Amino acid sequence: MEFKIKNTIDQKLKKDYEVIIPKELINQRIDVHIEKIKNKVNLKGFRKGNVPPSIIKEKYGSSIFADESEKLINEALKKITQDYDLKPVITPKVEIKSFKIDDDLEFNATIEIHPEVPQIDLKKIKIALRKAQIDDNDIAESLDKLLK
C-alpha cells in the first residue's frame, strides 16, 4: 500500500503536494503497534499480556492512530523529498484536511526549497584592487573632528 501524492503547486522555490494515506495502511500500522504493546498492557479484568487486541484498540485506538498517523506523515514527506530530489529550506508545512479513524488521511504539504545556484568558473572572475588615496589634509581633518 502506497501513498497517493499529487503535485498541486510547482513554483521555483515552493512546491505543494496533496497526499492521501489509505486507511488500510493506517489500520495495518495500528494493528502492528497493538501487537508490539499487547504483552505490556494491563487492564482491569484481564491478566497482564492477555488483553484482546480489540479491547486495546477500543481503549487506546485514538492515541495509537495519532502516533501512527504522525509517523506516516513523516514517511510521506521523506518520500516526497527523495522522489522529487528536493532540498527543503525549512521543515515542510503540513495542513491536515481529513483526520478520522477508519478513513483515509489527507493532508497538504508545502515545501520551500533551496534555489538552484549555477556553477561559476572562478578562474574567469577578475578582481580589481583599489588603493585608498589619503593625503595629509584628510588626516588633519579627521584629527580636528576627533579633537572637537
Side-chain angles (χ1 to χ4, degrees), residues 33-127:
H33 187 87
I34 289 172
E35 282 298 315
K36 284 181 185 177
I37 66 167
K38 76 176 186 179
N39 292 332
K40 300 173 187 170
V41 176
N42 191 10
L43 286 176
K44 253 185 178 174
F46 298 97
R47 284 181 280 147
K48 185 175 182 179
N50 289 330
V51 181
S54 59
I55 302 294
I56 295 172
K57 191 171 187 175
E58 182 181 313
K59 182 101 171 141
Y60 302 109
S62 59
S63 64
I64 294 172
F65 172 74
D67 290 343
E68 292 303 318
S69 296
E70 183 179 350
K71 289 177 188 176
L72 286 167
I73 289 171
N74 289 332
E75 286 178 29
L77 293 173
K78 186 176 180 181
K79 181 173 175 44
I80 290 170
T81 56
Q82 288 176 345
D83 289 353
Y84 295 98
D85 194 30
L86 302 176
K87 294 175 182 82
V89 175
I90 58 172
T91 304
K93 179 184 173 194
V94 175
E95 182 182 322
I96 296 176
K97 293 177 7 182
S98 172
F99 188 74
K100 296 177 187 170
I101 296 177
D102 289 330
D103 198 10
D104 292 345
L105 173 62
E106 298 178 31
F107 67 94
N108 288 335
T110 303
I111 302 173
E112 294 182 23
I113 58 173
H114 286 285
E116 287 188 31
V117 180
Q119 291 289 339
I120 299 172
D121 187 10
L122 297 178
K123 293 178 182 175
K124 293 182 180 179
I125 296 176
K126 294 182 180 176
I127 300 173

Side-chain angles (χ1 to χ4, degrees), residues 17-30:
Y17 295 92
E18 186 176 283
V19 181
I20 299 173
I21 301 174
K23 66 181 176 183
E24 293 83 14
L25 181 60
I26 297 169
N27 289 334
Q28 177 186 357
R29 292 287 183 98
I30 289 172

Side-chain angles (χ1 to χ4, degrees), residues 134-148:
I134 301 173
D135 59 8
D136 292 337
N137 287 338
D138 293 331
I139 295 172
E141 284 179 24
S142 294
L143 289 174
D144 286 341
K145 286 181 184 177
L146 288 172
L147 290 173
K148 289 180 183 177

